């Protein structure tokens, strides 16, 4: 059969593409043709209409609302989360084939004209899920839209500091922040490293300034749809203004979403309905959010943020190492899942703190988190090379891709291994990632960029210590996972090896 699929995950970075590859491989293994459209952070290349027309069925492996879903109207389909496609692609393919054979029809148009995008940004929140699941989905929606701003702004600022040190020397990190904006706009010199450093710093600062408003706005959007955007962004901006930071952004996101949802459900006269989404909802919800933040909770949250910042800056020695150990363990626990994202969000929001010294604890936290997040895929890649016979053919192929994924700080590169053997891989991952986080802290490594892995090495303070910490964590995890797998070999691996030996004997006989 011919199948088409659409994959997307909340961040649009790793699971989106891993699910696509898994579905394509599972389709080929089952004798079917699968064409996949990835709707990731980098955009998407829509499937050819002729491919869609020829398809027997559709697979939606998405945690966000699929764009242009009406293209697939009338075709049998299955709708699963993106992790299901990563963990059990053969099962998803089998379900899609069953849907085709039973003739389950897909829904019709989704409310917009064929060939056009959806009316607004995409999200996918299961209204029938439990409270905990919905809260996670609301949070992940905000984080998914925040990450591109964090990455762009953080890397631009980090590059500006690097150029500033070349232009001004050791004082460059401070000097670049003191240049007036008017000087940049009126006397920019294309051959001056100082001016380029200032340009990068100012541009990155603007991008980074959207972090909290975007987080708040899209949490509210996930709760209340479009009516939540205005009060969410307003609340996030107020959080920045009063010094409440990302904690304030989380609070205003939920507050704005629920207030906007409540107002949107008011039963009003027909004559008022037309102005509700344009005037009444944004006006009243923004007023409520502003009132609550300015008058009631803004100052207490700001004090909490100040206390958190003071606590971080006061950490040293063994306390700092223990923090690195904890954050590293969180990064290695669920490999891109909620616990991993909590640690990562804690690190990247710390970068937004103003007035940080070059060796501030926030920069050390970011270094520990990124290094720990690189360990699992690199360790599994190493394990598949060192003890190849402990892994299936598919895992050996995944190991080749895991080198690049790990080097690029994509923890999800280890998910195929964890899905096949959860407790051995996760236990090993926690140990290796925790070791790396602690060692990075002990070495005093710093990082101003929120993403990039090995590709932002010039932006890392003490890069040799950073690489050594990763190498130690990778060896620790690889050694543990090899030892655990050696104690109880995988029956599937043994079956594949027996089949390979039988094929070799047949080949020799022929």
């Amino acid at each position: 059969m011919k199948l088409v699929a659409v994959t997307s995950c909340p961040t649009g970075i790793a699971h989106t593409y891993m699910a696509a590859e898994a579905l394509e491989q599972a389709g080929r293994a089952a004798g079917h043709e699968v064409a996949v459209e990835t709707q990731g952070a980098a955009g998407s290349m829509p499937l050819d209409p002729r491919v869609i027309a020829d398809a027997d069925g559709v697979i939606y492996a998405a945690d966000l609302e699929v764009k242009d879903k009406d293209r697939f109207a009338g075709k049998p389909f299955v709708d699963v989360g993106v992790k299901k496609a990563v963990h059990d692609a053969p099962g998803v393919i089998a379900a899609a084939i069953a849907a085709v054979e039973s003739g389950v029809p897909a829904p019709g148009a989704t409310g917009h004209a064929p060939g056009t995008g959806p009316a607004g940004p995409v999200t996918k929140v299961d209204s029938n899920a439990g409270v905990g699941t919905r809260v996670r989905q609301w949070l992940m929606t905000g984080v998914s839209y925040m990450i591109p701003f964090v990455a762009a702004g953080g890397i631009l600022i980090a590059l500006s500091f690097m150029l500033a040190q070349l232009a001004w020397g050791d004082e460059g990190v401070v000097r670049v922040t003191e240049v007036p904006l008017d000087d940049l706009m009126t006397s920019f010199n294309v051959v001056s490293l100082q001016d380029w450093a200032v340009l990068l710093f100012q541009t990155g600062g603007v991008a980074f300034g959207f972090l909290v408003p975007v987080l708040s706005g899209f949490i509210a959007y996930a709760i209340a749809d479009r009516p939540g955007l205005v009060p969410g962004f307003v609340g996030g901006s107020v959080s920045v203004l009063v010094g409440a930071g990302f904690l304030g952004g989380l609070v205003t996101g939920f507050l704005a979403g629920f207030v906007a949802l409540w107002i949107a459900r008011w039963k009003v006269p027909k004559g008022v309905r037309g102005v509700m989404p344009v005037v009444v909802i944004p006006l009243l919800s923004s007023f409520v959010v502003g009132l609550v933040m300015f008058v009631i909770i803004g100052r207490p949250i700001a004090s909490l943020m100040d206390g958190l910042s003071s606590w971080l800056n006061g950490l040293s020695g063994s306390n700092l190492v223990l923090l690195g150990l904890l954050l590293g363990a969180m990064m290695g626990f669920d490999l891109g899942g909620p616990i991993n994202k909590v640690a990562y969000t804690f690190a990247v929001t710390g970068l937004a703190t103003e007035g940080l010294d070059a060796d501030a604890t926030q920069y050390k936290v970011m270094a520990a988190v990124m290094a720990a997040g690189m360990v699992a895929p690199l360790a599994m890649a190493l394990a598949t090379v060192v003890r190849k016979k402990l892994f299936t053919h598919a895992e050996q192929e995944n190991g080749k891709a895991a080198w690049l994924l790990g080097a690029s700080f994509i923890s999800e590169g280890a998910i195929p291994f964890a899905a096949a053997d959860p407790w051995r891989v996760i236990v090993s991952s926690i140990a290796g990632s925790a070791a790396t986080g602690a060692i990075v802290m002990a070495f005093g490594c710093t990082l101003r960029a929120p993403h990039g892995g090995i590709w932002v090495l010039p932006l890392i303070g003490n890069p040799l210590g950073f690489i050594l910490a990763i190498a130690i964590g990778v060896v620790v995890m690889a050694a543990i996972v090899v030892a655990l797998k050696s104690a109880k070999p995988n029956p599937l691996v043994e079956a594949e090896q027996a089949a390979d030996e039988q094929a070799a004997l047949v080949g020799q006989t022929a």
Side-chain angles (χ1 to χ4, degrees), residues 106-382:
T110 57
H112 52 274
T116 65
V122 292
T123 183
K124 186 175 182 179
V125 177
D126 185 359
S127 59
N128 297 319
V131 174
T133 299
R134 280 182 290 162
V135 169
R136 179 180 64 82
Q137 291 172 337
W138 294 331
L139 284 171
M140 288 307 299
T141 299
V143 170
S144 69
Y145 283 101
M146 178 191 75
I147 285 177
F149 290 91
V150 175
I155 292 175
L156 284 171
I157 291 174
L159 289 171
S160 78
F161 287 156
M162 185 173 67
L163 286 181
Q165 287 179 312
L166 293 175
W168 280 291
D170 293 338
E171 299 179 355
V173 174
V174 176
R175 295 283 298 276
V176 72
T177 65
E178 297 174 342
V179 177
L181 184 60
D182 287 344
D183 290 357
L184 173 66
M185 297 177 67
T186 58
S187 59
F188 180 76
N189 185 348
V190 294
V191 297
S192 170
L193 283 181
Q194 295 179 1
D195 287 358
W196 281 108
V198 175
L199 174 63
L200 290 172
F201 176 78
Q202 293 290 349
T203 306
V206 170
F208 222 63
F210 284 98
L211 187 155
V212 176
V214 168
L215 175 66
S216 176
F218 281 101
I219 289 175
Y221 174 78
I223 296 171
D225 207 353
R226 293 181 67 181
L229 280 175
V230 172
F233 272 87
V234 170
S237 298
V238 173
S239 297
V240 174
L241 186 62
V242 302
F246 85 96
L247 287 179
L250 293 175
V251 172
T252 56
F254 283 97
L255 176 63
F258 287 118
V259 170
L261 184 63
W262 172 58
I263 298 174
R265 290 178 174 176
W266 286 358
K267 294 181 179 180
V268 298
K270 292 183 179 179
V272 182
R273 292 177 188 172
V275 297
M276 284 291 289
V278 179
V279 178
V280 178
I281 297 176
L283 172 65
L284 295 181
S285 58
S286 297
F287 170 74
V288 171
V289 171
L291 173 67
V292 172
M293 282 301 294
F294 279 122
V295 179
I296 304 175
I297 64 174
R299 189 65 260 167
I301 296 176
S303 298
L304 182 60
M305 284 295 295
D306 292 340
L308 177 61
S309 180
S310 298
W311 173 73
L312 282 175
N313 290 327
L315 289 177
S316 61
S318 59
N319 290 330
L320 206 55
V321 172
L322 286 174
L323 178 61
L325 187 79
L326 174 62
L327 292 172
M330 292 173 68
M331 290 299 293
F333 178 73
D334 54 1
L335 305 171
I339 303 300
N340 174 287
K341 286 294 188 291
V342 167
Y344 178 68
T345 303
F346 175 73
V348 298
T349 51
L351 298 181
T353 306
E354 295 183 359
L356 295 178
D357 296 330
D359 62 343
T361 302
Q362 286 85 344
Y363 295 145
K364 295 176 183 178
V365 167
M366 189 68 250
V369 164
M370 189 164 83
M374 297 167 65
V375 167
L378 290 174
M380 296 311 302
L382 176 63

Side-chain angles (χ1 to χ4, degrees), residues 387-410:
R387 291 296 302 275
K388 186 176 181 179
K389 293 184 177 181
L390 293 175
F391 299 91
T392 65
H393 295 157
E395 287 176 328
Q396 292 170 23
E397 290 300 314
N398 288 331
K400 297 175 183 178
W403 287 112
L404 179 59
L405 293 172
S408 302
F409 180 39
I410 299 177

